[in-house]
Amino acid sequence: MPASVLNTPSGTVLIIGASRGLGHAMAAEFLGKGWNVIGTVREGGRTKLHDLADAFEGRLEIETVDICEPDQVTALRDRLSGRVLDMVFVNAGVSNNPAETIADVTTDEFVRVMITNALSPMRVLESLAPFVPAAGLIGVMSSGQGSISNNETGQREVYRGSKAALNMFMRSFAARHAATSRAMALMAPGWVRTELGGPDGRLSIEESVPSLVNVLLARKGSQGLHYVDYLGRTVPW
Protein backbone atom coordinates (compact mmCIF):
# COMPACT_ATOMS: atom_id res chain seq x y z
CA MET A 1 0.00 0.00 0.00
CA PRO A 2 1.47 3.43 -0.90
CA ALA A 3 2.88 5.37 2.02
CA SER A 4 0.62 8.28 1.08
CA VAL A 5 -2.37 6.25 2.25
CA LEU A 6 -1.01 6.36 5.78
CA ASN A 7 -1.02 10.15 5.61
CA THR A 8 -4.60 10.45 4.38
CA PRO A 9 -6.34 13.39 6.06
CA SER A 10 -8.51 12.29 8.93
CA GLY A 11 -12.27 12.56 9.12
CA THR A 12 -15.23 10.83 10.71
CA VAL A 13 -16.13 7.23 9.97
CA LEU A 14 -19.34 5.50 11.02
CA ILE A 15 -18.85 1.74 11.50
CA ILE A 16 -22.07 -0.22 11.83
CA GLY A 17 -21.37 -3.30 13.93
CA ALA A 18 -18.25 -2.42 15.91
CA SER A 19 -18.69 -4.17 19.24
CA ARG A 20 -16.29 -7.03 18.47
CA GLY A 21 -14.33 -8.83 15.77
CA LEU A 22 -13.58 -7.05 12.50
CA GLY A 23 -15.71 -4.00 13.30
CA HIS A 24 -13.99 -3.40 16.61
CA ALA A 25 -10.57 -3.83 15.00
CA MET A 26 -11.53 -1.39 12.24
CA ALA A 27 -12.54 1.18 14.84
CA ALA A 28 -9.19 0.82 16.59
CA GLU A 29 -7.32 1.10 13.29
CA PHE A 30 -9.10 4.27 12.23
CA LEU A 31 -8.55 5.82 15.66
CA GLY A 32 -4.86 5.00 15.38
CA LYS A 33 -4.78 6.90 12.08
CA GLY A 34 -6.26 10.02 13.65
CA TRP A 35 -9.86 9.55 12.55
CA ASN A 36 -12.90 10.15 14.72
CA VAL A 37 -15.15 7.10 14.93
CA ILE A 38 -18.83 6.51 15.53
CA GLY A 39 -19.30 2.83 16.26
CA THR A 40 -22.57 1.01 16.78
CA VAL A 41 -23.53 -1.81 19.11
CA ARG A 42 -26.78 -3.60 19.66
CA GLU A 43 -28.63 -3.16 22.93
CA GLY A 44 -26.91 -4.90 25.78
CA GLY A 45 -24.09 -4.54 28.25
CA ARG A 46 -20.60 -3.21 28.02
CA THR A 47 -18.52 -4.29 25.00
CA LYS A 48 -14.91 -4.05 23.84
CA LEU A 49 -15.94 -0.89 22.01
CA HIS A 50 -16.66 0.79 25.34
CA ASP A 51 -13.13 -0.04 26.49
CA LEU A 52 -11.81 1.50 23.29
CA ALA A 53 -13.87 4.64 23.89
CA ASP A 54 -12.25 4.99 27.31
CA ALA A 55 -8.81 4.79 25.71
CA PHE A 56 -9.65 7.41 23.05
CA GLU A 57 -11.73 9.80 25.10
CA GLY A 58 -13.71 12.23 22.98
CA ARG A 59 -12.87 10.59 19.65
CA LEU A 60 -15.11 7.51 19.73
CA GLU A 61 -18.88 7.85 20.00
CA ILE A 62 -21.03 4.81 20.62
CA GLU A 63 -24.50 4.52 19.11
CA THR A 64 -27.02 1.72 19.59
CA VAL A 65 -28.84 0.17 16.66
CA ASP A 66 -30.13 -3.21 15.52
CA ILE A 67 -30.02 -2.92 11.74
CA CYS A 68 -32.75 -5.53 11.39
CA GLU A 69 -35.19 -3.13 13.07
CA PRO A 70 -36.14 -0.38 10.55
CA ASP A 71 -37.40 1.92 13.31
CA GLN A 72 -33.99 1.81 14.97
CA VAL A 73 -32.26 2.62 11.68
CA THR A 74 -34.57 5.61 11.25
CA ALA A 75 -33.85 6.74 14.81
CA LEU A 76 -30.09 6.52 14.17
CA ARG A 77 -30.47 8.62 11.04
CA ASP A 78 -32.39 11.22 13.02
CA ARG A 79 -29.75 11.32 15.77
CA LEU A 80 -27.01 11.83 13.18
CA SER A 81 -28.95 14.47 11.24
CA GLY A 82 -26.70 17.37 10.27
CA ARG A 83 -23.48 15.39 10.68
CA VAL A 84 -20.91 14.93 7.91
CA LEU A 85 -19.73 11.32 7.66
CA ASP A 86 -16.63 10.99 5.51
CA MET A 87 -17.11 7.24 5.46
CA VAL A 88 -20.00 4.93 6.30
CA PHE A 89 -19.13 1.26 6.53
CA VAL A 90 -21.57 -1.52 7.42
CA ASN A 91 -19.79 -4.45 9.03
CA ALA A 92 -22.74 -6.11 10.79
CA GLY A 93 -23.62 -9.61 9.66
CA VAL A 94 -24.29 -13.18 10.78
CA SER A 95 -23.34 -16.69 9.81
CA ASN A 96 -25.22 -19.96 10.13
CA ASN A 97 -24.42 -23.65 10.27
CA PRO A 98 -21.91 -23.96 7.39
CA ALA A 99 -23.00 -27.53 6.64
CA GLU A 100 -26.61 -26.49 6.11
CA THR A 101 -27.64 -26.65 2.46
CA ILE A 102 -30.58 -25.02 0.71
CA ALA A 103 -32.23 -28.46 0.92
CA ASP A 104 -31.85 -28.44 4.72
CA VAL A 105 -32.30 -24.87 5.87
CA THR A 106 -35.56 -23.85 7.48
CA THR A 107 -37.45 -20.90 6.08
CA ASP A 108 -37.00 -18.96 9.32
CA GLU A 109 -33.23 -19.48 9.30
CA PHE A 110 -32.96 -18.55 5.63
CA VAL A 111 -34.93 -15.37 6.22
CA ARG A 112 -32.81 -14.49 9.28
CA VAL A 113 -29.55 -14.71 7.36
CA MET A 114 -30.83 -12.92 4.27
CA ILE A 115 -32.40 -10.06 6.20
CA THR A 116 -29.31 -9.55 8.35
CA ASN A 117 -26.67 -9.91 5.63
CA ALA A 118 -28.37 -8.52 2.53
CA LEU A 119 -31.47 -6.43 3.19
CA SER A 120 -30.56 -4.64 6.41
CA PRO A 121 -27.09 -3.38 5.38
CA MET A 122 -28.60 -1.81 2.29
CA ARG A 123 -31.36 -0.17 4.31
CA VAL A 124 -28.67 1.44 6.44
CA LEU A 125 -26.77 2.70 3.40
CA GLU A 126 -29.92 4.01 1.75
CA SER A 127 -30.75 5.90 4.94
CA LEU A 128 -27.32 7.37 5.65
CA ALA A 129 -25.92 7.98 2.15
CA PRO A 130 -27.05 11.65 2.15
CA PHE A 131 -24.65 12.31 5.06
CA VAL A 132 -21.61 11.22 3.00
CA PRO A 133 -20.01 14.04 0.98
CA ALA A 134 -18.89 13.79 -2.64
CA ALA A 135 -15.33 12.95 -1.58
CA GLY A 136 -16.49 10.31 0.89
CA LEU A 137 -16.92 6.55 0.75
CA ILE A 138 -19.82 4.16 1.30
CA GLY A 139 -18.85 0.59 2.01
CA VAL A 140 -20.11 -2.74 3.28
CA MET A 141 -18.44 -5.94 4.42
CA SER A 142 -19.05 -8.59 1.80
CA SER A 143 -17.06 -11.80 1.44
CA GLY A 144 -15.09 -13.66 -1.17
CA GLN A 145 -17.76 -16.32 -0.70
CA GLY A 146 -20.22 -13.93 -2.31
CA SER A 147 -18.41 -14.38 -5.63
CA ILE A 148 -20.45 -16.54 -8.00
CA SER A 149 -17.48 -17.03 -10.34
CA ASN A 150 -15.26 -18.34 -7.54
CA ASN A 151 -17.78 -20.82 -6.15
CA GLU A 152 -16.35 -24.11 -7.35
CA THR A 153 -16.66 -26.08 -4.11
CA GLY A 154 -20.13 -25.26 -2.83
CA GLN A 155 -20.46 -25.36 0.96
CA ARG A 156 -21.72 -22.52 3.18
CA GLU A 157 -24.61 -22.21 0.75
CA VAL A 158 -26.91 -19.92 2.72
CA TYR A 159 -24.12 -17.56 3.76
CA ARG A 160 -22.76 -17.46 0.19
CA GLY A 161 -26.22 -16.68 -1.13
CA SER A 162 -26.72 -13.84 1.34
CA LYS A 163 -23.43 -12.20 0.35
CA ALA A 164 -24.11 -12.66 -3.37
CA ALA A 165 -27.46 -10.97 -2.83
CA LEU A 166 -25.75 -8.14 -0.95
CA ASN A 167 -23.35 -7.69 -3.86
CA MET A 168 -26.23 -7.49 -6.33
CA PHE A 169 -28.13 -4.97 -4.21
CA MET A 170 -24.99 -2.85 -3.91
CA ARG A 171 -24.54 -2.90 -7.69
CA SER A 172 -28.11 -1.70 -8.07
CA PHE A 173 -27.47 1.04 -5.51
CA ALA A 174 -24.35 2.09 -7.43
CA ALA A 175 -26.29 2.15 -10.71
CA ARG A 176 -28.92 4.43 -9.17
CA HIS A 177 -26.19 6.73 -7.86
CA ALA A 178 -23.94 6.63 -10.91
CA ALA A 179 -23.85 10.42 -11.10
CA THR A 180 -22.24 10.78 -7.69
CA SER A 181 -18.48 11.08 -7.31
CA ARG A 182 -18.53 9.13 -4.04
CA ALA A 183 -16.52 5.95 -3.82
CA MET A 184 -18.31 2.71 -3.00
CA ALA A 185 -16.74 -0.53 -1.83
CA LEU A 186 -17.68 -4.15 -1.23
CA MET A 187 -14.90 -5.55 0.96
CA ALA A 188 -13.82 -9.19 1.22
CA PRO A 189 -11.76 -9.41 4.42
CA GLY A 190 -10.48 -12.93 3.87
CA TRP A 191 -11.25 -15.86 6.13
CA VAL A 192 -10.44 -14.34 9.50
CA ARG A 193 -10.37 -16.02 12.89
CA THR A 194 -13.26 -14.24 14.61
CA GLU A 195 -16.44 -15.36 16.35
CA LEU A 196 -18.18 -15.25 12.97
CA GLY A 197 -15.32 -16.70 10.93
CA GLY A 198 -14.52 -19.45 13.42
CA PRO A 199 -11.21 -20.77 14.74
CA ASP A 200 -10.02 -22.28 11.45
CA GLY A 201 -9.69 -19.02 9.52
CA ARG A 202 -6.49 -18.54 7.53
CA LEU A 203 -5.92 -14.98 8.76
CA SER A 204 -5.66 -13.26 12.10
CA ILE A 205 -7.42 -9.95 12.61
CA GLU A 206 -4.01 -8.29 12.61
CA GLU A 207 -3.27 -9.75 9.17
CA SER A 208 -6.55 -8.55 7.66
CA VAL A 209 -7.86 -5.33 9.19
CA PRO A 210 -4.93 -2.88 8.93
CA SER A 211 -4.59 -3.62 5.21
CA LEU A 212 -8.37 -3.56 4.75
CA VAL A 213 -8.56 -0.07 6.26
CA ASN A 214 -5.71 1.11 4.04
CA VAL A 215 -7.59 -0.20 1.00
CA LEU A 216 -10.67 1.78 2.01
CA LEU A 217 -8.59 4.93 2.47
CA ALA A 218 -6.98 4.40 -0.93
CA ARG A 219 -10.42 4.04 -2.55
CA LYS A 220 -11.65 7.42 -1.26
CA GLY A 221 -11.93 9.73 -4.23
CA SER A 222 -12.24 6.82 -6.68
CA GLN A 223 -15.67 7.09 -8.25
CA GLY A 224 -17.87 4.04 -8.59
CA LEU A 225 -18.24 0.63 -6.97
CA HIS A 226 -15.30 -1.72 -6.37
CA TYR A 227 -15.47 -5.33 -5.11
CA VAL A 228 -12.05 -5.91 -3.59
CA ASP A 229 -10.32 -7.98 -0.96
CA TYR A 230 -8.29 -6.86 2.04
CA LEU A 231 -5.18 -6.53 -0.16
CA GLY A 232 -6.96 -4.37 -2.72
CA ARG A 233 -7.25 -7.12 -5.32
CA THR A 234 -10.40 -7.18 -7.46
CA VAL A 235 -12.77 -10.04 -6.59
CA PRO A 236 -14.70 -11.49 -9.56
CA TRP A 237 -18.45 -11.10 -9.34
Side-chain angles (χ1 to χ4, degrees):
M1 191 61 55
S4 60
V5 170
L6 304 180
N7 300 318
T8 300
S10 60
T12 297
V13 55
L14 169 64
I15 302 174
I16 303 291
S19 62
R20 62 182 183 176
L22 297 178
H24 173 268
M26 288 180 67
E29 190 70 18
F30 274 107
L31 287 165
K33 293 181 180 296
W35 279 61
N36 295 320
V37 175
I38 305 170
T40 76
V41 300
R42 290 189 295 176
E43 292 181 347
R46 187 176 178 86
T47 70
K48 292 173 64 177
L49 194 66
H50 292 83
D51 297 333
L52 197 59
D54 290 344
F56 288 88
E57 187 175 357
R59 291 184 46 214
L60 171 55
E61 302 171 51
I62 298 179
E63 288 282 355
T64 300
V65 66
D66 182 340
I67 65 170
C68 295
E69 298 293 336
D71 290 347
Q72 292 190 28
V73 175
T74 299
L76 176 64
R77 181 197 64 199
D78 292 345
R79 291 195 300 272
L80 295 175
S81 180
R83 301 286 293 271
V84 174
L85 304 175
D86 300 283
M87 193 179 298
V88 171
F89 191 87
V90 181
N91 172 66
V94 295
S95 186
N96 70 308
N97 180 348
E100 205 164 41
T101 69
I102 289 298
D104 303 325
V105 67
T106 67
T107 299
D108 286 345
E109 178 68 351
F110 179 84
V111 169
R112 180 186 75 90
V113 176
M114 292 296 290
I115 287 178
T116 306
N117 287 356
L119 176 60
S120 296
M122 294 310 304
R123 281 179 168 165
V124 171
L125 294 183
E126 296 278 6
S127 181
L128 298 178
F131 300 164
V132 181
L137 181 142
I138 296 170
V140 65
M141 194 71 82
S142 182
S143 169
Q145 294 186 31
S147 168
I148 294 175
S149 298
N150 281 349
N151 183 8
E152 297 179 349
T153 62
Q155 305 175 356
R156 298 179 179 270
E157 292 184 18
V158 179
Y159 181 78
R160 283 181 185 273
S162 71
K163 291 299 185 177
L166 173 65
N167 292 351
M168 180 60 78
F169 296 151
M170 192 66 176
R171 286 201 73 161
S172 295
F173 177 89
R176 283 189 280 112
H177 294 83
T180 182
S181 60
R182 287 178 304 209
M184 290 171 270
L186 283 160
M187 292 297 309
W191 187 10
V192 186
R193 294 187 293 275
T194 62
E195 291 186 40
L196 189 148
D200 298 325
R202 299 184 183 92
L203 300 171
S204 67
I205 287 178
E206 293 76 18
E207 290 171 317
S208 171
V209 169
S211 182
L212 184 153
V213 167
N214 280 341
V215 169
L216 289 174
L217 292 173
R219 287 294 176 189
K220 279 184 86 265
S222 178
Q223 184 179 14
L225 175 63
H226 302 273
Y227 181 21
V228 294
D229 72 6
Y230 70 105
L231 295 176
R233 298 172 299 194
T234 297
V235 181
W237 296 96

